[in-house]
């Protein structure tokens, strides 16, 4: 099984385009990030962001960078540790 660290990003639907642009920049800075869109809830867009397990903890570097680039009404929940898939 693969191990990962993940985040859930929640942003207002009206700012979804801005969030997607920032996530594209994140993919360039952090090439191991996986981004997928979760089901929207009420007036919020949600994204699932995951990083492969590593002792270097690139997820923490991402979290620091991302929090400097976001608005106060965006919610970045995590990191959480998890396992997925079959090996």
């Amino acid at each position: 099984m693969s191990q990962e660290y993940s985040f859930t990003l929640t942003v207002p639907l009206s700012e979804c385009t801005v969030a997607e642009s920032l996530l594209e920049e994140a993919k360039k800075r952090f090439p191991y990030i996986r981004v997928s869109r979760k089901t929207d809830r009420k007036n919020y867009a949600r994204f699932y962001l995951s990083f492969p397990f590593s002792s270097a903890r690139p997820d923490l570097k991402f979290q620091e960078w991302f929090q400097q680039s976001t608005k106060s009404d965006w919610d970045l929940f995590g990191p959480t540790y998890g396992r997925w898939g079959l090996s």
Side-chain angles (χ1 to χ4, degrees), residues 10-21 37 40-47 71 73-74:
T10 305
V11 301
L13 274 175
S14 60
E15 298 179 18
C16 189
T17 307
V18 176
E20 288 172 337
S21 296
R37 183 83 181 261
D40 295 345
R41 271 208 184 142
K42 300 188 181 184
N43 292 322
Y44 291 91
R46 299 180 315 143
F47 299 88
K71 299 181 179 186
D73 58 346
W74 292 16

Side-chain angles (χ1 to χ4, degrees), residues 39-57:
T39 306
D40 295 345
R41 271 208 184 142
K42 300 188 181 184
N43 292 322
Y44 291 91
R46 299 180 315 143
F47 299 88
Y48 182 77
L49 318 172
S50 62
F51 293 83
F53 181 82
S54 168
S55 61
R57 295 297 303 265

Side-chain angles (χ1 to χ4, degrees), residues 1-15:
M1 296 179 72
S2 296
Q3 301 174 61
E4 68 178 11
Y5 291 105
S6 63
F7 296 91
T8 299
L9 172 65
T10 305
V11 301
L13 274 175
S14 60
E15 298 179 18

